[in-house]
Amino acid sequence: MILRRIVLGLAVGLASPLLLGACGSSDGTGSGDAAPVAPATASVTSPAPASAPAASAAGDGGGSVTGSSALTTGVTAEAIDGVGTVVADDRGMTLYRYDKDEPDPSKWTCSGACTKTWLPVVVGDSVRTSGVGRSLLGTVHRDGRKQLTLAGWPLYRYSGDTAARQANGQGKDAQWYAVAPSGRKAAATG
């Protein structure tokens, strides 16, 4: 009985790398233009305030990462009337930066109730790009996940944008701005 468990364990252990290899690679060398997201040069995890609840593993809004638990898999440059060219996620939703965050080293400050309105952009190990320089992308650690950064600035979605290509968060509280592909604030164009 023990010998059978050992043999079974060895078989599973040997088969696992082969099965995982067949699933593809996330190193950015496969098809498409996916690239590994470089970690920020000095990834900083900002502690949540003592009054903030702990993050939920499901990302259900109990902590500082709220909204859909789906990872963002791509970013693209999009022209939006009245705002100019901005960065959008794989669903066409405009991405924003927060003036109170810091780009060097990357540090997020939006936590707790703030993340119910401004949803951190959580990514896996690679992100497809179109019109956005891969060298400008990075991540900052956030509650055990990776939040996407652009030119060091942590990125967010605005809960008030209910459809693709909206930028209802532009200029909110004179601190939130749609992000241009350079990482700078998008400027209103008209």
Side-chain angles (χ1 to χ4, degrees):
M1 182 66 124
I2 293 175
L3 182 58
R4 183 179 292 171
R5 287 184 183 169
I6 292 172
V7 170
L8 181 59
L10 286 173
V12 169
L14 292 173
S16 295
L18 296 173
L19 292 173
L20 290 174
C23 292
S25 171
S26 64
D27 66 359
T29 60
S31 63
D33 54 358
V37 178
T41 54
S43 292
V44 175
T45 301
S46 298
S51 61
S56 162
D60 63 0
S64 62
V65 177
T66 61
S68 172
S69 61
L71 295 179
T72 296
T73 60
V75 292
T76 186
E78 297 277 342
I80 298 181
D81 290 341
V83 183
T85 302
V86 300
V87 178
D89 68 9
D90 50 349
R91 293 176 291 276
M93 303 303 285
T94 302
L95 302 183
Y96 298 86
R97 55 175 265 188
Y98 183 37
D99 280 350
K100 289 187 178 182
D101 287 348
E102 296 176 18
D104 189 21
S106 295
K107 180 180 177 185
W108 50 267
T109 59
C110 176
S111 63
C114 177
T115 62
K116 294 185 185 308
T117 302
W118 300 97
L119 313 170
V121 177
V122 178
V123 296
D125 290 333
S126 68
V127 175
R128 290 183 322 277
T129 65
S130 177
V132 180
R134 290 181 186 153
S135 65
L136 295 176
L137 295 177
T139 60
V140 64
H141 294 286
R142 182 181 194 98
D143 303 328
R145 297 180 183 189
K146 296 177 190 175
Q147 182 175 359
L148 185 64
T149 63
L150 179 61
W153 290 98
L155 299 180
Y156 303 83
R157 285 181 204 88
Y158 177 52
S159 64
D161 288 344
T162 58
R165 301 180 51 80
Q166 291 181 342
N168 297 322
Q170 175 69 357
K172 275 283 192 213
D173 302 323
Q175 296 176 357
W176 290 94
Y177 296 91
V179 66
S182 65
R184 294 181 183 206
K185 298 175 191 177
T189 60

